[in-house]
Amino acid sequence: FKQKTAYEIKECAWSSDVCSSDLVGFFRPDFPTDKGDWHDYLRAYDALLAPYRDRAGLRVLEIGVKKGGSLVMWQEYFRADAIIYGIDINPDVPTFRRDAGLKVLVMDSTDAVVVEAALRGLRFDVIIDDGLHHRQAQLQTFLNLRQFLTDTGVYAIEDGFDVDTSDYSRLGYETTMVADPSGQHLLVLYPPGSIATRLTGEKQASFALSAHP
C-alpha cells in the first residue's frame, strides 16, 4: 500500500475512510497519541523527518511512552527495519515485548548515570523528547542523550513553555521553534551535519521549509 504521512497515520485511529485497514490494525484507538489532536506536531514531523523515511536500519528514540501510541505510529511511518525505542519513568507503560521493532526502557532520562549504562553502544537518528515538560528536565535529558545522536540526526523537544534556545545554540546546535495551536512549542535541534529538513518561522500553520543543502 501507499506509504502514509504521519498525519494520515494518526487519522487512522479515528476514521477507516482515511487509510487502508492494514494501517488501522497497526494504529488503534487504544494506543492514542496527542501529537495530532491536542497538538499539531505531525504536520511539522512529516516535513522534518522526510529525509529519514527510507533510511535502512534507522533508530528512533522517544522519551515519554504513556500508552505507546507514538511508538506504534513511528514504527508504521518509517521503514520496516527501523527500531523504535521508548523511555519512560513509569513501570506500568506498555513494553511491547513480543515486537522486536519496539523496545521500551523504564528509567529516568534525567539521570546521567542510568542513561549512560542503558544506552551504551547505541546511536539514534531521531530523538524526540515528549517526557517531563519542564525546562530544566528537558535540558538535562538533552545533555544526557546528545552523545547518542548521530551526526546526521535530529533532536526534537515537544511542549516547550519557557524555552531558552541559547541553552542549546551555545552547544553548537542550530535551533528552530515551531509554534503550536496549544500555545506550546516544538523545539528542533540540528547538529551541524543533520540531514533533517529545516523548518523556519514561528507559526505552525505557515512555517516555511528549506531542504538541507
Side-chain angles (χ1 to χ4, degrees), residues 124-141:
F124 299 96
D125 302 283
V126 177
I127 299 179
I128 297 170
D129 182 358
D130 188 18
L132 185 58
H133 306 318
H134 295 163
R135 175 181 171 185
Q136 190 56 43
Q138 291 170 332
L139 177 58
Q140 188 59 54
T141 292

Side-chain angles (χ1 to χ4, degrees), residues 8 65 70-71 90 162-163 170-171 193 202:
E8 289 172 326
V65 173
S70 295
L71 303 187
N90 184 354
D162 57 347
V163 179
R170 64 184 174 80
L171 297 172
E202 281 291 324

Side-chain angles (χ1 to χ4, degrees), residues 7-190:
Y7 184 78
E8 289 172 326
I9 291 170
K10 172 64 178 68
E11 289 297 297
C12 291
W14 315 112
S15 172
S16 59
D17 295 332
V18 176
C19 56
S20 74
S21 59
D22 292 334
L23 290 180
V24 176
F26 281 104
F27 195 87
R28 303 191 305 269
D30 54 337
F31 287 125
T33 173
D34 66 357
K35 286 178 170 44
D37 42 36
W38 172 247
H39 298 290
D40 195 22
Y41 295 144
L42 295 186
R43 298 181 194 276
Y45 281 136
D46 275 328
L48 179 71
L49 302 178
Y52 302 96
R53 292 202 68 179
D54 294 320
R55 174 168 282 200
L58 191 80
R59 280 192 172 91
V60 177
L61 172 63
E62 176 152 4
I63 300 89
V65 173
K66 204 170 184 178
K67 295 186 178 181
S70 295
L71 303 187
V72 174
M73 182 185 69
W74 295 133
Q75 185 180 53
E76 183 58 44
Y77 181 77
F78 294 109
R79 282 173 47 122
D81 61 350
I83 301 179
I84 315 299
Y85 289 76
I87 290 176
D88 203 292
I89 199 170
N90 184 354
D92 296 325
V93 296
T95 56
F96 303 101
R97 292 180 180 176
R98 296 183 179 181
D99 192 327
L102 293 173
K103 301 181 184 297
V104 174
L105 306 172
V106 177
M107 63 181 185
D108 182 355
S109 64
T110 67
D111 188 323
V113 174
V114 170
V115 169
E116 170 66 30
L119 302 182
R120 186 178 295 119
L122 293 174
R123 298 271 278 172
F124 299 96
D125 302 283
V126 177
I127 299 179
I128 297 170
D129 182 358
D130 188 18
L132 185 58
H133 306 318
H134 295 163
R135 175 181 171 185
Q136 190 56 43
Q138 291 170 332
L139 177 58
Q140 188 59 54
T141 292
F142 169 75
L143 294 174
N144 293 344
L145 292 176
R146 66 184 181 126
Q147 63 178 307
F148 301 105
L149 183 67
T150 63
D151 294 339
T152 57
V154 65
Y155 193 109
I157 300 174
E158 297 185 4
D159 304 342
F161 291 96
D162 57 347
V163 179
D164 184 348
T165 58
S166 68
D167 289 339
Y168 306 93
S169 59
R170 64 184 174 80
L171 297 172
Y173 289 79
E174 178 185 343
T175 65
T176 295
M177 289 273 286
V178 179
D180 185 72
S182 67
Q184 299 166 3
H185 290 82
L186 176 68
L187 174 61
V188 183
L189 309 174
Y190 304 89

